[in-house]
Amino acid sequence: MKNHKLSIIYLIILIIFTVYVVLDTFVFSSVYTVTQNKNTKKINSGDVTLTDNSYSDDNIEINIKEYRENDTTIYVADVVLKDNSLLKTAFANNSYGKNITAKTSSISESVKAILSVNGDYYGVQEKGYVLKNGNIYRNTSSGNEDLVIYKDGSFEIVNEDDVSLESLVSKGAYNVLSFGPALIIDGDISISKNEEVGKAMASNPRTAIGKISDNHYVFVVSDGRTSDSEGLSLYELASFMKSLGCDIAYNLDGGGSSTMYFNGKVINNTVGGRGESERSVSDIVYIGY
Amino acid sequence: MILFILDIDDYKKENKIYIGFTVFFVIFSFIYELFSHGVYSNFMIFVFTFPLIGLFMNNIFIKNKFLIPKISRNLFDMSLLTFSFGSIIEGVLEIYGTTNSLIFVYLIVGITLMFFSMISVVIFLPNKD
């Protein structure tokens, strides 16, 4: 024991530091910026027609369909917009910061979203572009492949190492999603069969967004990690997005984060049960006024 | 006091500690990976290599009857412990899909301790002549 006195003291210091690192990563939160919505354009929705799986008004048409592929239930929201400014993103608690999270459904309710999916969970990364609704919040490159959503509603896949966020904004970028990878580029699957997000090697719940044509988008969420649904590999997700006719498609944060919200309800089986174990996330992508 | 040379029995006792840590890390990382939904991290899977390196080095010392100062041994053990903790935490972060710049502290401290461990061998080892 006496021989190890110094080692034991050091072990205690090491444990205290490790606890601090864990708390710093997962618990300590700080708000850097409270968001301000630059978009002050008031758009009138006109007459609304709403069913359990559809929504339509003068500017938005949404149809929700369920598919069954690869032993997995997949939810597809087909979206046609007349005004592209209705495709938006939102932060948890309306704030950009560290460990600022809320459930997709809570964020959606706070911004009165008609349809939403979880976003890129920027909050778990220290780097990577964060551009939300025209505002730059973080411009440090993580080397990620990003989805750029321009003001005119067009999509583009870029690599953060190849282009600065400021130059994207000067070209009209309105939102940037930094997760990836890109699933479809110019109508072709852009990933290999074995490619995965980071170190994920199994089928999982997934979230993706795609563009079929001008003003025509799809939001896709698959179940997974349940007895009913195995989940999708990235390549299976990419194949599915291609089958929907996407010209461009991009993978968002998945796993426990995967959530689709429509008309006041979570419609997919979030991991652990329908709506009961919905994970809190940093941000969402949504359709709303 | 902390500069005395450990005898060969102390080295054999150290072997048990290294084996204990190696087995613990193998079980720990196996269980952690079991519940990580197919997300793997080499930092988590191979954390057991650090005590294994200690075990390997310890047996080289025993075989060659090369007994180093206690302070050098302590610094060497602390270095391996730092790398092990850093490896586990990096594994946890990778599996969750997040990062923390503080992780470099483990690497820097581990390398520094290893460096001073080697320096202290040269400084404190009695001249056999």
Side-chain angles (χ1 to χ4, degrees):
Chain A
M1 187 69 178
K2 198 178 172 185
N3 289 351
H4 296 288
K5 195 174 170 186
L6 198 60
S7 297
I8 289 167
I9 292 169
Y10 181 72
L11 178 64
I12 292 166
I13 294 168
L14 202 55
I15 289 170
I16 291 169
F17 177 72
T18 299
V19 169
Y20 175 78
V21 173
V22 171
L23 291 175
D24 183 59
T25 307
F26 299 107
V27 180
F28 296 153
S29 64
S30 53
V31 174
Y32 302 143
T33 314
V34 175
T35 56
Q36 294 168 345
N37 196 351
K38 277 184 179 175
N39 186 6
T40 53
K41 190 170 66 170
K42 186 76 182 167
I43 302 168
N44 196 339
S45 67
D47 291 335
V48 175
T49 307
L50 186 63
T51 69
D52 280 349
N53 52 15
S54 71
Y55 173 99
S56 71
D57 65 22
D58 289 355
N59 308 297
I60 303 169
E61 204 169 300
I62 299 170
N63 284 291
I64 310 279
K65 276 188 186 171
E66 257 185 61
Y67 292 77
R68 187 76 188 166
E69 302 265 347
N70 303 106
D71 290 325
T72 300
T73 303
I74 308 168
Y75 307 85
V76 178
D78 187 276
V79 179
V80 178
L81 300 176
K82 278 191 183 155
D83 187 326
N84 293 306
S85 67
L86 300 174
L87 172 57
K88 301 175 184 178
T89 55
F91 286 132
N93 301 339
N94 206 31
S95 303
Y96 167 69
K98 184 179 178 183
N99 285 327
I100 308 291
T101 61
K103 291 177 178 177
T104 296
S105 55
S106 304
I107 307 171
S108 303
E109 282 163 18
S110 71
V111 295
K112 297 184 174 66
I114 300 162
L115 168 76
S116 69
V117 291
N118 59 290
D120 59 7
Y121 211 150
Y122 77 88
V124 296
Q125 303 297 335
E126 293 177 312
K127 292 178 179 175
Y129 293 169
V130 181
L131 173 74
K132 303 290 180 195
N133 304 324
N135 298 297
I136 295 177
Y137 295 96
R138 188 168 66 196
N139 60 1
T140 48
S141 169
S142 65
N144 254 6
E145 201 173 39
D146 289 356
L147 173 68
V148 183
I149 303 174
Y150 290 95
K151 281 176 187 165
D152 65 2
S154 60
F155 283 9
E156 186 188 15
I157 301 295
V158 300
N159 191 299
E160 291 182 1
D161 282 343
D162 297 336
V163 60
S164 72
L165 185 54
E166 287 76 9
S167 66
L168 289 172
V169 171
S170 68
K171 281 169 60 187
Y174 194 60
N175 281 294
V176 167
L177 296 167
S178 178
F179 197 87
L183 302 169
I184 309 274
I185 299 175
D186 296 330
D188 295 320
I189 293 175
S190 57
I191 56 167
S192 63
K193 285 194 173 174
N194 296 321
E195 196 165 333
E196 276 301 339
V197 180
K199 308 290 181 184
M201 293 303 289
S203 297
N204 274 301
R206 303 282 182 182
T207 302
I209 183 170
K211 184 171 174 287
I212 292 174
S213 60
D214 286 349
N215 306 327
H216 188 185
Y217 309 95
V218 280
F219 288 22
V220 174
V221 165
S222 82
D223 282 344
R225 299 181 190 167
T226 67
S227 55
D228 184 56
S229 289
E230 189 182 330
L232 299 177
S233 69
L234 263 192
Y235 191 81
E236 287 166 347
L237 178 65
S239 302
F240 181 73
M241 298 302 278
K242 187 176 166 67
S243 75
L244 294 174
C246 288
D247 182 53
I248 191 163
Y250 187 77
N251 180 59
L252 293 170
D253 186 22
S257 301
S258 283
T259 308
M260 182 180 279
Y261 170 96
F262 174 69
N263 187 28
K265 284 184 290 189
V266 172
I267 63 169
N268 65 306
N269 289 296
T270 51
V271 178
R274 188 179 289 270
E276 288 176 2
S277 59
E278 190 188 339
R279 179 191 280 175
S280 293
V281 295
S282 302
D283 54 295
I284 62 165
V285 183
Y286 75 100
I287 302 291
Y289 288 97
Chain B
M1 50 184 192
I2 56 169
L3 297 180
F4 77 87
I5 309 295
L6 293 166
D7 65 29
I8 208 75
D9 287 337
D10 289 324
Y11 277 69
K12 286 175 181 169
K13 279 180 201 163
E14 288 274 332
N15 261 352
K16 289 179 187 170
I17 296 172
Y18 287 129
I19 291 168
F21 269 104
T22 304
V23 171
F24 172 75
F25 285 150
V26 167
I27 294 169
F28 178 84
S29 60
F30 176 76
I31 292 171
Y32 201 92
E33 288 289 341
L34 211 60
F35 293 98
S36 65
H37 301 292
V39 185
Y40 78 93
S41 166
N42 284 333
F43 285 98
M44 183 63 81
I45 292 169
F46 296 110
V47 63
F48 70 89
T49 54
F50 294 107
L52 208 58
I53 289 167
L55 183 67
F56 177 73
M57 293 297 291
N58 202 45
N59 281 290
I60 287 179
F61 294 148
I62 292 171
K63 196 174 177 185
N64 296 297
K65 295 189 169 58
F66 180 67
L67 305 180
I68 61 172
K70 183 192 171 191
I71 190 166
S72 309
R73 284 302 301 258
N74 278 338
L75 289 168
F76 179 71
D77 288 344
M78 286 181 212
S79 171
L80 292 180
L81 205 58
T82 308
F83 286 133
S84 302
F85 268 64
S87 188
I88 287 174
I89 294 301
E90 177 61 18
V92 169
L93 300 189
E94 273 194 355
I95 288 167
Y96 189 77
T98 186
T99 55
N100 190 320
S101 51
L102 288 172
I103 207 76
F104 286 104
V105 173
Y106 293 101
L107 184 65
I108 292 163
V109 173
I111 290 171
T112 306
L113 288 168
M114 189 63 80
F115 174 75
F116 281 111
S117 168
M118 289 189 285
I119 292 291
S120 63
V121 172
V122 178
I123 294 172
F124 296 119
L125 199 65
N127 194 333
K128 284 182 179 175
D129 299 331

